[in-house]
Amino acid sequence: IKSVGVLTSGGDAPGMNAAIRAVTRAGIFNNMKVYGIYRGYRGLISDEIMEFKTNSVSNIIQQGGTMLKTARSADFMTEEGRRIAYENMQKHGIEALVVIGGDGSLTGAAIFANEYNIPVVGLPGTIDNDLNGTDTTIGYDTALNTIMQSMDKIRDTATSHERLFFIEVMGRNCGYLALNSAIASGAEAAIIPEISIEKDQLAELIEQGFRKSKNSSMVLVTESEVTGGAMKLAERVKKEYPQYDVRVSILGHLQRGGSPTAQDRILASRMGVAAIQALMEYQRNVMIGIRENEIVYVPFKRAIKKDREISREMLEVLRISSI
Ligand code: F6P
């Protein structure tokens, strides 16, 4: 492979810049031409493509967001959109793609790769940690740290006022952010989609009197139709149990911002180098993953399968450590 395009797509995640940098430098190191594609698939269609040199990615490793910009492209969902995207690749002589993004972006990558027989390698760039076949994703660690720091602050006011706080975090339909930030911040519980299907977690918490021995409580909630979200849960408690002084905090997009942690920068750098390596090994339609600290190749089909299981061991850790 002599030339490769790199793009970021879907929700941004801290560490995406470190990944762009690593892909660019590894490509150039291996005598490839590297093209930066702006605004994700949308830019591939509207031809927002620029050749990158090593210094095009200088001074970005420490920055959150993505210097390539990102978008969720409706046009790329259409055959016509993908045809134009393919023609633009041909025009620039781009033979392969590295797509950095979450499940939606990798789903698009898989369709495109099959349709035009293009070598595409994906990097898991999402704070949600909702992809299969990898222990973690680029941006997840930074988001966890951001949530943990916010929780430490909320705890100060929660204890001062002896209040019950519901704190809503991102993750879409995946409870990893809520569960692990609950452990890291010493919260009482995490209400997550994976368990909401099995049982009424709020009813259980109420039955236990939240935390009997303590006068303040913090409960993490994953934004999701399955959990109902923090607002709904708080309303339910307010109505049925007026003895609790309830407040809600929705952390929102601040969870996606900020300078990436060392762990995310290192992960993104390793994965970026691995993406170029995978292309040189004629790997196709795979996402780079990490398992037991080793780089692995995960077929797109498996990576985007929506059945990521939550760690029962982590659930147990939270349950035991919050008694
Ligand atoms: O996938 C990342 C994520 O932040 C999810 O956790 C969240 O549901 C979604 O993106 C929000 O998307 P947007 O920024 O487009 O509102």
Side-chain angles (χ1 to χ4, degrees):
I1 286 171
K2 296 210 169 47
S3 65
V4 60
V6 56
L7 62 83
T8 50
S9 161
D12 63 325
M16 278 184 163
N17 280 326
I20 296 165
R21 173 178 176 272
V23 169
T24 303
R25 300 247 165 112
I28 293 170
F29 179 83
N30 288 290
N31 302 313
M32 295 177 188
K33 278 194 168 197
V34 178
Y35 292 88
I37 300 160
Y38 287 83
R39 298 182 176 80
Y41 296 120
R42 190 193 290 170
L44 196 53
I45 294 171
S46 55
D47 197 10
E48 296 177 72
I49 302 172
M50 238 177 74
E51 191 181 342
F52 273 10
K53 299 294 176 197
T54 54
N55 65 1
S56 310
V57 290
S58 297
N59 205 15
I60 62 168
I61 196 168
Q62 77 284 13
Q63 290 168 12
T66 160
M67 57 89 77
L68 280 176
K69 317 283 182 202
T70 186
R72 303 189 200 273
S73 167
D75 287 344
F76 197 71
M77 313 274 238
T78 67
E79 275 182 26
E80 172 65 3
R82 291 193 295 274
R83 187 183 58 76
I84 299 169
Y86 178 65
E87 284 169 6
N88 281 332
M89 279 182 70
Q90 284 198 311
K91 191 171 95 184
H92 291 275
I94 301 172
E95 292 171 34
L97 275 186
V98 176
V99 172
I100 308 166
D103 62 341
S105 312
L106 299 187
T107 304
I111 295 168
F112 192 47
N114 282 328
E115 218 166 31
Y116 290 98
N117 197 23
I118 310 164
V120 182
V121 169
L123 295 191
T126 168
I127 65 163
D128 299 340
N129 196 20
D130 60 349
L131 289 158
N132 272 308
T134 186
D135 291 340
T136 185
T137 55
I138 297 165
Y140 174 62
D141 184 63
T142 306
L144 266 185
N145 276 285
T146 302
I147 297 170
M148 183 186 73
Q149 284 156 14
S150 312
M151 295 287 293
D152 290 349
K153 294 191 168 99
I154 291 171
R155 181 190 284 280
D156 290 344
T157 179
T159 44
S160 302
H161 283 269
E162 303 182 287
R163 278 173 173 162
L164 164 60
F165 263 89
F166 287 94
I167 299 116
E168 185 174 299
V169 296
M170 285 185 166
R172 233 181 263 267
N173 289 313
C174 180
Y176 267 94
L177 274 178
L179 176 56
N180 276 322
S181 52
I183 294 173
S185 60
E188 276 52 65
I191 296 187
I192 60 176
E194 292 86 342
I195 303 299
S196 294
I197 299 168
E198 295 169 17
K199 58 181 180 195
D200 187 342
Q201 298 167 89
L202 184 62
E204 215 164 72
L205 278 175
I206 292 169
E207 211 170 284
Q208 293 158 5
F210 287 92
R211 202 172 177 185
K212 287 193 199 80
S213 56
K214 304 284 159 103
N215 48 23
S216 75
S217 291
M218 300 194 299
V219 177
L220 270 294
V221 183
T222 304
E223 53 157 16
S224 154
E225 274 176 27
V226 188
T227 61
M231 279 293 192
K232 256 198 193 157
L233 296 180
E235 284 311 317
R236 200 174 131 195
V237 175
K238 270 187 208 164
K239 220 182 263 161
E240 295 171 29
Y241 303 90
Q243 70 269 34
Y244 289 111
D245 192 5
V246 182
R247 291 292 186 278
V248 172
S249 236
I250 297 174
L251 298 188
H253 284 80
L254 75 82
Q255 296 164 87
R256 285 233 298 260
S259 177
T261 58
Q263 192 168 310
D264 271 331
R265 296 181 200 194
I266 295 164
L267 179 72
S269 302
R270 290 179 71 186
M271 287 182 160
V273 170
I276 296 295
Q277 184 63 35
L279 286 171
M280 292 194 307
E281 290 170 14
Y282 298 101
Q283 293 284 340
R284 301 280 182 275
N285 293 357
V286 292
M287 179 191 84
I288 304 296
I290 192 142
R291 287 247 91 137
E292 292 171 0
N293 205 24
E294 299 277 350
I295 292 288
V296 292
Y297 300 147
V298 189
F300 279 151
K301 248 196 201 147
R302 165 137 190 268
I304 58 189
K305 209 165 166 224
K306 291 193 169 35
D307 62 353
R308 177 135 165 81
E309 278 182 15
I310 201 79
S311 161
R312 299 279 152 171
E313 184 245 342
M314 295 288 200
L315 282 168
E316 202 53 10
V317 169
L318 177 59
R319 200 170 66 86
I320 293 170
S321 56
S322 62
I323 57 170

